[in-house]
Short mmCIF file of all heavy atoms in Angstrom, two decimals:
data_model
loop_
_atom_site.label_atom_id
_atom_site.label_comp_id
_atom_site.label_asym_id
_atom_site.label_seq_id
_atom_site.Cartn_x
_atom_site.Cartn_y
_atom_site.Cartn_z
N LEU W 124 68.50 -9.11 24.25
CA LEU W 124 68.07 -7.72 24.16
C LEU W 124 69.23 -6.86 23.68
O LEU W 124 70.34 -6.95 24.23
CB LEU W 124 67.59 -7.21 25.52
CG LEU W 124 66.34 -7.89 26.09
CD1 LEU W 124 66.00 -7.30 27.45
CD2 LEU W 124 65.17 -7.74 25.16
N GLY W 125 68.97 -6.05 22.67
CA GLY W 125 70.03 -5.18 22.16
C GLY W 125 70.55 -4.26 23.26
O GLY W 125 71.75 -4.02 23.37
N ARG W 126 69.65 -3.77 24.09
CA ARG W 126 70.04 -2.93 25.24
C ARG W 126 69.51 -3.64 26.50
O ARG W 126 68.42 -3.31 26.98
CB ARG W 126 69.45 -1.53 25.09
CG ARG W 126 70.22 -0.71 24.05
CD ARG W 126 69.63 0.66 23.85
NE ARG W 126 68.40 0.59 23.04
CZ ARG W 126 67.71 1.67 22.66
NH1 ARG W 126 68.12 2.86 23.03
NH2 ARG W 126 66.63 1.55 21.94
N PRO W 127 70.28 -4.62 27.00
CA PRO W 127 69.76 -5.48 28.08
C PRO W 127 69.39 -4.73 29.35
O PRO W 127 68.54 -5.20 30.11
CB PRO W 127 70.91 -6.47 28.33
CG PRO W 127 72.09 -5.94 27.63
CD PRO W 127 71.62 -5.01 26.56
N TRP W 128 69.99 -3.57 29.58
CA TRP W 128 69.68 -2.83 30.80
C TRP W 128 68.23 -2.29 30.78
O TRP W 128 67.70 -1.89 31.79
CB TRP W 128 70.68 -1.69 31.04
CG TRP W 128 70.82 -0.76 29.89
CD1 TRP W 128 70.14 0.40 29.69
CD2 TRP W 128 71.69 -0.90 28.76
NE1 TRP W 128 70.51 0.99 28.49
CE2 TRP W 128 71.48 0.21 27.90
CE3 TRP W 128 72.63 -1.86 28.37
CZ2 TRP W 128 72.16 0.38 26.71
CZ3 TRP W 128 73.30 -1.67 27.17
CH2 TRP W 128 73.07 -0.57 26.35
N HIS W 129 67.61 -2.33 29.60
CA HIS W 129 66.20 -1.88 29.52
C HIS W 129 65.22 -2.93 30.01
O HIS W 129 64.01 -2.67 30.03
CB HIS W 129 65.85 -1.51 28.06
CG HIS W 129 66.34 -0.16 27.67
ND1 HIS W 129 65.98 0.49 26.53
CD2 HIS W 129 67.22 0.69 28.29
CE1 HIS W 129 66.58 1.66 26.45
NE2 HIS W 129 67.35 1.80 27.50
N ILE W 130 65.73 -4.08 30.40
CA ILE W 130 64.80 -5.16 30.82
C ILE W 130 64.00 -4.75 32.06
O ILE W 130 62.91 -5.29 32.30
CB ILE W 130 65.58 -6.49 31.06
CG1 ILE W 130 64.58 -7.65 31.08
CG2 ILE W 130 66.38 -6.45 32.37
CD1 ILE W 130 65.19 -9.00 30.88
N VAL W 131 64.49 -3.82 32.82
CA VAL W 131 63.77 -3.41 34.03
C VAL W 131 62.64 -2.44 33.72
O VAL W 131 61.79 -2.18 34.59
CB VAL W 131 64.72 -2.78 35.08
CG1 VAL W 131 65.69 -3.79 35.63
CG2 VAL W 131 65.45 -1.58 34.50
N ASN W 132 62.60 -1.92 32.51
CA ASN W 132 61.60 -0.89 32.19
C ASN W 132 60.15 -1.29 32.47
O ASN W 132 59.40 -0.52 33.05
CB ASN W 132 61.75 -0.44 30.72
CG ASN W 132 62.91 0.53 30.56
OD1 ASN W 132 63.53 0.93 31.57
ND2 ASN W 132 63.23 0.91 29.35
N PRO W 133 59.71 -2.49 32.05
CA PRO W 133 58.31 -2.84 32.33
C PRO W 133 58.02 -2.99 33.83
O PRO W 133 56.88 -2.95 34.25
CB PRO W 133 58.13 -4.20 31.63
CG PRO W 133 59.33 -4.42 30.81
CD PRO W 133 60.41 -3.55 31.32
N ILE W 134 59.08 -3.18 34.60
CA ILE W 134 58.88 -3.40 36.04
C ILE W 134 58.90 -2.08 36.81
O ILE W 134 58.06 -1.84 37.68
CB ILE W 134 59.98 -4.34 36.61
CG1 ILE W 134 60.13 -5.59 35.75
CG2 ILE W 134 59.73 -4.68 38.08
CD1 ILE W 134 58.92 -6.48 35.67
N ILE W 135 59.84 -1.19 36.45
CA ILE W 135 59.98 0.05 37.24
C ILE W 135 59.08 1.17 36.72
O ILE W 135 59.00 2.24 37.32
CB ILE W 135 61.45 0.53 37.27
CG1 ILE W 135 61.94 0.88 35.85
CG2 ILE W 135 62.35 -0.48 37.95
CD1 ILE W 135 63.29 1.55 35.83
N GLY W 136 58.40 0.94 35.60
CA GLY W 136 57.44 1.94 35.13
C GLY W 136 58.03 2.94 34.16
O GLY W 136 57.35 3.89 33.76
N ASN W 137 59.29 2.75 33.75
CA ASN W 137 59.87 3.62 32.74
C ASN W 137 59.36 3.10 31.40
O ASN W 137 59.95 2.20 30.80
CB ASN W 137 61.41 3.55 32.83
CG ASN W 137 62.06 4.41 31.76
OD1 ASN W 137 61.41 5.23 31.14
ND2 ASN W 137 63.34 4.19 31.54
N SER W 138 58.24 3.62 30.95
CA SER W 138 57.55 3.12 29.76
C SER W 138 57.00 1.71 30.04
O SER W 138 57.57 0.71 29.63
CB SER W 138 58.51 3.07 28.56
OG SER W 138 57.90 2.47 27.46
N PHE W 139 55.89 1.67 30.77
CA PHE W 139 55.27 0.39 31.14
C PHE W 139 54.92 -0.44 29.90
O PHE W 139 55.16 -1.62 29.84
CB PHE W 139 53.99 0.63 31.93
CG PHE W 139 54.20 0.56 33.41
CD1 PHE W 139 53.54 1.42 34.26
CD2 PHE W 139 55.03 -0.39 33.96
CE1 PHE W 139 53.72 1.34 35.63
CE2 PHE W 139 55.21 -0.48 35.33
CZ PHE W 139 54.55 0.40 36.17
N GLY W 140 54.30 0.19 28.90
CA GLY W 140 53.90 -0.51 27.68
C GLY W 140 52.84 -1.56 27.93
O GLY W 140 52.94 -2.70 27.46
N TYR W 141 51.79 -1.19 28.70
CA TYR W 141 50.81 -2.22 29.05
C TYR W 141 49.90 -2.64 27.91
O TYR W 141 49.04 -3.47 28.06
CB TYR W 141 49.98 -1.86 30.28
CG TYR W 141 49.81 -0.39 30.55
CD1 TYR W 141 49.09 0.42 29.70
CD2 TYR W 141 50.40 0.16 31.68
CE1 TYR W 141 48.95 1.77 29.97
CE2 TYR W 141 50.26 1.51 31.96
CZ TYR W 141 49.54 2.31 31.09
OH TYR W 141 49.43 3.62 31.37
N ASN W 142 50.07 -2.05 26.72
CA ASN W 142 49.32 -2.55 25.55
C ASN W 142 50.04 -3.73 24.91
O ASN W 142 49.51 -4.35 24.00
CB ASN W 142 49.16 -1.43 24.51
CG ASN W 142 48.16 -0.40 24.97
OD1 ASN W 142 47.23 -0.73 25.70
ND2 ASN W 142 48.34 0.83 24.57
N SER W 143 51.25 -4.01 25.38
CA SER W 143 52.04 -5.06 24.76
C SER W 143 51.90 -6.38 25.52
O SER W 143 51.83 -6.38 26.75
CB SER W 143 53.51 -4.62 24.75
OG SER W 143 54.35 -5.72 24.52
N VAL W 144 51.89 -7.49 24.74
CA VAL W 144 51.85 -8.80 25.39
C VAL W 144 53.13 -9.02 26.19
O VAL W 144 53.13 -9.67 27.23
CB VAL W 144 51.67 -9.92 24.33
CG1 VAL W 144 51.64 -11.29 25.00
CG2 VAL W 144 50.41 -9.70 23.54
N LEU W 145 54.23 -8.42 25.70
CA LEU W 145 55.50 -8.59 26.41
C LEU W 145 55.44 -8.01 27.83
O LEU W 145 56.12 -8.48 28.73
CB LEU W 145 56.63 -7.89 25.64
CG LEU W 145 57.48 -8.78 24.74
CD1 LEU W 145 58.55 -7.95 24.06
CD2 LEU W 145 58.12 -9.91 25.51
#
Side-chain angles (χ1 to χ4, degrees):
Chain W
L124 296 179
R126 285 177 284 182
W128 54 92
H129 280 192
I130 197 163
V131 293
N132 281 355
I134 311 298
I135 63 172
N137 179 15
S138 174
F139 264 142
Y141 27 67
N142 287 330
S143 163
V144 180
L145 262 180

